[in-house]
Structure formats: structure tokens, C-alpha cells
């Protein structure tokens, strides 16, 4: 079952970059971007990849949105806080969210195409530590991340039907 959206996660990277780029927003608010549906049954999106260019176009959108988020993460002061539904976060937190979105959507797309995708365990361990403090980290960080997001199973743990991450900055950080 493919869970990924038509933009492959590009809108998340775009959105996270926009949030940390505007530290003057009132607490608890998002950048006031207009969101609409492309078709009546379609998702409400800030943006989505054009269909005509196909997979190469989608990869271009992901690359551009990812580069924008990386640039904004590097140039935004670490003390900046911006709103997110899962907790006000700092640039590093939004970077972690972007990494999770990229890894999971890549996994979803690969699964939908009958391909295997495995993310680097060191990267998974970092985002698990930042966004999933409530999850006991096992010896297999990628499998743990899949489990923590309802996409996989771990021995001795019930498969999750609902999940969330915690974006807020914690005292120990």
C-alpha cells in the first residue's frame, strides 16, 4: 500500500522551510499560504508536483524543496522557534521533520513500485532521538522508525495504527 502523496513529500520540505524563515509570526500560527484542491476529490495542498514531467519532475521538485529547507535551516538562528502542529520547533527540529518525511515518502514510493528502500541507520537514529523520545530505540533504527510511523513491525511490539512525533524543543537539547 502506497501512502505517499502526489508531491512525494516536497510540500513538507517547502512548508518547513517557510515556517523557520518567518520567525516573526505570532505563536501558534502558520505562514499564511493559500491552500486549495487541484480537483474536487484531491488533497488540499500548498503545492504539488506537476504530473506531466513524471518521475523526473517529481525528483526535481523534491531536490528544490529539500535544498530550500537545507539553506533556510543553515541560515536561521538556532534560537528561532516556529509553529508546528506537533510542537513549536527550532531549525534543527524542522530539519529532522524534513528528513523523516523524505525517508518515509521514499520508502512509500519504492514500496508502491515494488522496490526495496533502506535508510541509513545513523540518520534514522538521529531523527528517532529528536522526534520520537517516547519510542524505545532498538538495534535497528530504520526498522524502529518504520514501526514508530505505523509502517512496519518490531518483535514484541504491537503494530501502530496511530502515531505522532514531538517537534518541540526539549530541555536537554
Amino acid at each position: 500500500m502506497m501512502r505517499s502523496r502526489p508531491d512525494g513529500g516536497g510540500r513538507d520540505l517547502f512548508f518547513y522551510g517557510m515556517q523557520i524563515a518567518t520567525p516573526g509570526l505570532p505563536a501558534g500560527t502558520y505562514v499564511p499560504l493559500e491552500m486549495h484542491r487541484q480537483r474536487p476529490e484531491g488533497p488540499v495542498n500548498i503545492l504539488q508536483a506537476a504530473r506531466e514531467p513524471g518521475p523526473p519532475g517529481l525528483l526535481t521538485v523534491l531536490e528544490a524543496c529539500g535544498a530550500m529547507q537545507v539553506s533556510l535551516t543553515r541560515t536561521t538562528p538556532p534560537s528561532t522557534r516556529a509553529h508546528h502542529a506537533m510542537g513549536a520547533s527550532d531549525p534543527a527540529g524542522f530539519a529532522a521533520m524534513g528528513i523523516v518525511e523524505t525517508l518515509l515518502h521514499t520508502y512509500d514510493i519504492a514500496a508502491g513500485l515494488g522496490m526495496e528502500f533502506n535508510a541509513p541507520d545513523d540518520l534514522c537514529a538521529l531523527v528517532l532521538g529528536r522526534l520520537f523520545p517516547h519510542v524505545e530505540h532498538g538495534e535497528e533504527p530504520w526498522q524502529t522508525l518504520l514501526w514508530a510511523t505505523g509502517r512496519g513491525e518490531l518483535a514484541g511490539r504491537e503494530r501502530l495504527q496511530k502515531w505522532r512525533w514531538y517537534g518541540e524543543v526539549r530541555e536537554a537539547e
Side-chain angles (χ1 to χ4, degrees):
M1 172 175 67
M2 191 164 129
R3 297 174 180 223
S4 194
R5 295 181 298 265
D7 66 1
R11 72 175 173 186
D12 297 315
L13 301 175
F14 176 84
F15 170 76
Y16 299 154
M18 292 295 95
Q19 280 302 107
I20 62 171
T22 52
L25 284 175
T29 62
Y30 291 109
V31 173
L33 297 167
E34 185 175 316
M35 296 173 58
H36 64 279
R37 298 179 193 281
Q38 295 283 60
R39 56 192 191 288
E41 73 283 357
V44 176
N45 281 324
I46 295 171
L47 77 140
Q48 65 184 39
R51 292 180 181 268
E52 190 173 306
L58 174 59
L59 292 174
T60 299
V61 168
L62 290 172
E63 182 179 9
C65 290
M68 182 196 69
Q69 187 189 6
V70 166
S71 178
L72 288 166
T73 298
R74 288 180 175 161
T75 59
T76 301
S79 60
T80 299
R81 300 294 182 267
H83 177 68
H84 188 278
M86 298 299 174
S89 201
D90 59 354
F94 278 100
M97 291 180 222
I99 291 167
V100 169
E101 295 287 0
T102 301
L103 295 177
L104 294 179
H105 289 298
T106 300
Y107 172 81
D108 293 340
I109 291 167
L113 295 172
M115 301 169 66
E116 186 174 327
F117 171 77
N118 290 300
D121 279 335
D122 57 342
L123 195 54
C124 295
L126 287 171
V127 297
L128 281 165
R130 172 57 198 251
L131 299 175
F132 298 88
H134 58 291
V135 171
E136 182 181 326
H137 304 177
E139 292 180 20
E140 299 177 354
W142 174 230
Q143 294 306 313
T144 303
L145 182 60
L146 290 174
W147 174 82
T149 57
R151 287 168 167 81
E153 297 182 15
L154 282 179
R157 300 188 198 183
E158 190 174 319
R159 187 176 185 123
L160 297 178
Q161 300 301 316
K162 293 173 73 173
W163 62 272
R164 70 164 290 185
W165 66 44
Y166 294 86
E168 67 272 358
V169 179
R170 293 177 300 282
E171 290 299 321
E173 295 179 337

